[in-house]
């Protein structure tokens, strides 16, 4: 009886740990999304001379 309870406690702990890791990863992603400024990255300011060179449609910086 004690062995079955020990296994159950182990698996409940493992599942709780996995859920906590997923939640913390999502909190971190939200923090980075709201604290960063992805519009302020280096990019071409003028039209490129060769094909395949792109510039930002609207600069945020």
């Amino acid at each position: 009886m004690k062995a079955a309870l020990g296994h159950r406690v182990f698996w409940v702990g493992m599942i709780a740990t996995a859920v906590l890791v997923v939640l913390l990863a999502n909190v971190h992603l939200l923090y980075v999304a709201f604290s960063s400024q992805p519009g302020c990255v280096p990019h071409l300011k003028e039209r490129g001379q060769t094909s395949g060179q792109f510039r930002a449609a609207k600069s945020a910086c």
Side-chain angles (χ1 to χ4, degrees), residues 2-44:
K2 283 187 176 184
L5 181 62
H7 287 288
R8 182 172 295 165
V9 169
F10 172 77
W11 285 112
V12 168
M14 291 296 287
I15 292 170
T17 301
V19 168
L20 183 64
V21 167
V22 169
L23 287 175
L24 289 175
N26 285 324
V27 167
H28 178 258
L29 286 175
L30 286 173
Y31 169 75
V32 170
F34 283 106
S35 65
S36 67
Q37 295 182 357
C40 294
V41 295
H43 60 276
L44 294 175

